[in-house]
């Protein structure tokens, strides 16, 4: 009996096992490709997300054509880098922290703080030098935001440089011109080449500290400023959120002698606490942690195009991730009161030693120690000469000795090259 054709078993297709294997391999390859594309697109989206937040301003057209340029490797790898950090005190927009936005005096872009961050080529240390805003300096002719130029000035407060460039506005053009004039002034003052800049306004500081989750720092004396910043704080270990950190950085009434120069050690204390916090949370060594922090903080900062590049920023951050706090130096540039105006300051010889060390990429603490040792030797030699000359005039020795001591005290550097972070005891 014949078997119906439809009931006959169908023959197996040739090479079916090989085809199945090929299909399986293709599926795995497609799945792998999908994962790769997902990861790459995710990274690309994340990169674009962060990069789009950074407000970068190119100021090269506002700088002197004779300034020159430097060849830069990726992320400054193997190269020393100098970054100028400028704090501005405009109250416009989100910076209106004290309700004074309507005042013409505070609505424009003005420089309130300036620090030079030096990272050596071998990334063995971190150095930060504050420049007093009332330091009397020479300010070169600068291009302004409206296309004009300013006249060069001598013996003028340092923060005038930013004001000269910025003029009467607070927009990006004003900030660009203010930064350019400040960089030109800093380079004239120090002999350094400023590679990058970062502008931090009031809102930027608040946002950055909050992105860190707040900071712990040690307050060395009670603060009672109920009239201006409204900051009232007891000495000892304190945890500061962004708003309180801004008050701490700005306060000068109700603490110390009320001078602006006394704010700089507090600002350095805050910077040290921020750095310690970033290190403790692995923001300088872990890419995911760094991304999380950058996502929260970058939108509030203004940076040079080089520093605004996330690859450069991440490269610099991670290159100093292993630097211990004992290798962090925070000082105010050595200065002394101007004899004719106690509210103004003048650079001292020790300042020249600091700038020379940074130019040579050698530790500034060593330069200050060498200068102090030389001064001690010179003082000892002068004292010996005085004693020799006084052998025949013993009745004058007391008065002349007192004068020598007074002269020594008068020229003692105001910079204290300490590397110990007071906030260490608060962790």
């Amino acid at each position: 009996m014949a078997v119906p054709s439809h009931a006959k078993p169908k023959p197996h297709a040739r090479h079916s096992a090989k085809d199945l294997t090929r299909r399986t391999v293709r599926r795995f390859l497609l799945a792998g490709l999908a994962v790769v594309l997902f990861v790459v697109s995710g990274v690309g989206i994340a990169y674009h997300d962060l990069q789009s937040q950074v407000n970068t301003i190119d100021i090269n057209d506002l700088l002197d054509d004779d300034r020159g340029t430097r060849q830069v490797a990726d992320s400054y790898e193997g190269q020393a880098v100098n970054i100028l950090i400028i704090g501005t005190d405009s109250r416009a927009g989100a910076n209106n922290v004290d309700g004074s936005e309507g005042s013409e005096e505070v609505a424009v872009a003005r420089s309130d703080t300036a620090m030079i961050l030096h990272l050596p080529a071998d990334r063995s240390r971190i150095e930060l030098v504050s420049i007093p805003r009332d330091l009397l300096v020479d300010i070169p002719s600068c291009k302004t935001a409206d296309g004009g130029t300013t006249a060069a000035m001598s013996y003028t407060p340092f923060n005038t440089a930013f004001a000269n460039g910025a003029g009467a506005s607070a927009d990006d053009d004003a900030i660009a011109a203010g930064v350019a004039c400040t960089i030109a002034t800093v380079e004239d003052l120090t002999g350094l080449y400023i590679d990058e800049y970062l502008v931090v306004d009031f809102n930027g500081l608040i946002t950055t500290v909050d992105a860190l989750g707040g900071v712990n720092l040690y307050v060395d004396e009670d603060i009672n400023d109920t009239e201006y910043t409204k900051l009232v704080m007891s000495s000892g270990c304190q945890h500061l959120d962004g708003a309180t950190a801004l008050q701490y950085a700005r306060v000068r009434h109700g603490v110390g002698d009320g001078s602006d120069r006394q704010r700089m050690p507090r600002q350095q204390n805050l910077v040290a606490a921020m750095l310690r916090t970033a290190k403790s949370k692995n923001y300088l060594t872990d890419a995911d942690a760094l991304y999380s922090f950058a996502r929260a903080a970058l939108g509030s900062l203004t940076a040079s195009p080089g520093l605004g590049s996330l690859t450069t920023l991440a490269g610099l951050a991670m290159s100093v991730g292993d630097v211990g706090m004992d290798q962090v130096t925070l000082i105010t540039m050595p200065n002394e009161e101007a004899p004719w105006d106690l509210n103004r300051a003048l650079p001292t010889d020790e300042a020249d030693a600091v700038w020379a060390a940074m130019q040579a990429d050698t530790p500034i603490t060593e330069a200050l120690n060498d200068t102090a040792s030389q001064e001690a030797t010179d003082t000892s030699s002068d004292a010996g000469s005085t004693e020799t000359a006084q052998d025949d005039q013993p009745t004058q020795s007391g008065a002349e000795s007192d004068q020598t001591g007074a002269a020594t005290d008068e020229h003692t550097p105001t910079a204290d090259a300490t590397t110990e972070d007071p906030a260490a005891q608060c962790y």
Side-chain angles (χ1 to χ4, degrees):
M1 179 178 175
V3 179
S5 59
H6 67 270
K8 291 180 180 179
K10 295 180 179 179
H12 293 297
R14 286 186 174 183
H15 314 302
S16 59
K18 292 184 179 179
D19 289 343
L20 178 60
T21 301
R22 289 171 181 163
R23 285 197 298 270
T24 302
V25 170
R26 281 200 300 269
R27 286 168 183 164
F28 274 115
L29 288 175
L30 289 173
L33 179 60
V35 170
V36 171
L37 289 175
F38 176 78
V39 171
V40 171
S41 63
V43 170
I45 291 171
Y47 180 89
H48 177 74
D49 177 45
L50 285 178
Q51 193 71 63
S52 63
Q53 291 188 67
V54 185
N55 182 30
T56 60
I57 304 177
D58 190 342
I59 62 171
N60 283 332
D61 289 343
L62 295 166
L63 293 170
D64 195 319
D65 294 336
D66 296 333
R67 176 174 179 260
T69 58
R70 289 211 297 188
Q71 292 295 107
V72 177
D74 291 342
S75 302
Y76 290 93
E77 183 177 359
Q79 293 178 287
V81 56
N82 298 312
I83 302 171
L84 180 64
I85 302 173
I86 300 174
T88 60
D89 61 0
S90 167
R91 308 302 200 278
N95 296 304
N96 186 27
V97 297
D98 54 10
S100 59
E101 181 177 17
S103 169
E104 292 184 4
E105 181 181 355
V106 294
V108 297
R110 290 291 180 265
S111 172
D112 190 51
T113 304
M115 303 176 178
I116 301 174
L117 172 63
H118 177 77
L119 303 179
D122 63 5
R123 300 297 189 266
S124 60
R125 62 190 185 277
I126 297 173
E127 297 172 336
L128 194 74
V129 183
S130 296
I131 301 177
R133 71 176 191 177
D134 293 322
L135 185 78
L136 296 178
V137 298
D138 293 335
I139 299 177
S141 174
C142 297
K143 298 176 183 178
T144 61
D146 60 6
T149 57
T150 62
M153 298 177 169
S154 298
Y155 286 99
T156 305
F158 173 77
N159 66 336
T160 302
F162 194 97
N164 279 0
S169 180
D171 58 18
D172 282 355
D173 289 341
I175 291 174
V179 169
C181 195
T182 303
I183 286 178
T185 302
V186 168
E187 292 186 340
D188 279 0
L189 172 68
T190 66
L192 297 170
Y193 186 94
I194 300 300
D195 299 284
E196 307 287 352
Y197 75 82
L198 182 68
V199 177
V200 184
D201 57 22
F202 287 170
N203 181 58
L205 179 60
I206 292 173
T207 302
T208 301
V209 172
D210 283 340
L212 289 169
V215 296
N216 294 341
L217 58 73
Y218 182 80
V219 180
D220 59 3
E221 59 181 319
D222 293 345
I223 300 173
N224 187 27
D225 180 21
T226 57
E227 184 176 358
Y228 295 93
T229 63
K230 314 300 182 186
L231 180 63
V232 177
M233 184 177 291
S234 300
S235 60
C237 291
Q238 301 287 348
H239 181 79
L240 279 58
D241 61 9
T244 310
L246 175 62
Q247 290 176 302
Y248 179 77
R250 294 178 59 208
V251 70
R252 60 173 173 162
H253 300 281
V255 59
D257 63 7
S259 69
D260 183 72
R261 294 168 73 187
Q262 281 205 344
R263 292 195 308 170
M264 286 180 287
R266 287 191 287 275
Q267 291 168 352
Q268 292 163 2
N269 188 26
L270 177 59
V271 170
M274 293 170 69
L275 180 57
R276 181 178 288 277
T277 301
K279 290 176 68 66
S280 70
K281 295 187 176 183
N282 298 322
Y283 288 155
L284 302 182
T285 55
D286 183 90
D288 290 338
L290 179 60
Y291 172 82
S292 177
F293 168 70
R295 180 71 179 80
L298 284 182
S300 62
L301 305 175
T302 299
S304 53
L307 202 59
S309 165
L310 296 182
T311 52
T312 301
L313 192 60
L316 286 173
M318 292 188 176
S319 72
V320 295
D322 294 330
V323 177
M325 292 302 296
D326 60 336
Q327 294 300 317
V328 177
T329 302
L330 306 164
I331 69 166
T332 298
M333 67 162 285
N335 66 91
E336 61 188 9
E337 294 177 343
W340 60 89
D341 188 345
L342 299 184
N343 292 317
R344 301 288 185 248
L346 294 171
T348 63
D349 292 341
E350 290 79 11
D352 293 337
V354 169
W355 307 139
M358 294 173 76
Q359 289 177 45
D361 203 23
T362 56
I364 59 178
T365 50
E366 293 181 6
L368 286 172
N369 289 336
D370 290 345
T371 302
S373 297
Q374 184 61 49
E375 285 188 347
T377 300
D378 293 344
T379 301
S380 177
S381 298
D382 290 344
S385 299
T386 300
E387 290 173 2
T388 301
Q390 289 171 355
D391 285 344
D392 297 330
Q393 301 173 344
T395 57
Q396 298 181 11
S397 61
E400 293 189 15
S401 176
D402 290 343
Q403 291 171 0
T404 302
T408 302
D409 291 340
E410 182 181 349
H411 293 89
T412 299
T414 57
D416 180 15
T418 59
T419 56
E420 182 179 351
D421 177 10
Q425 60 190 297
C426 302
Y427 282 78

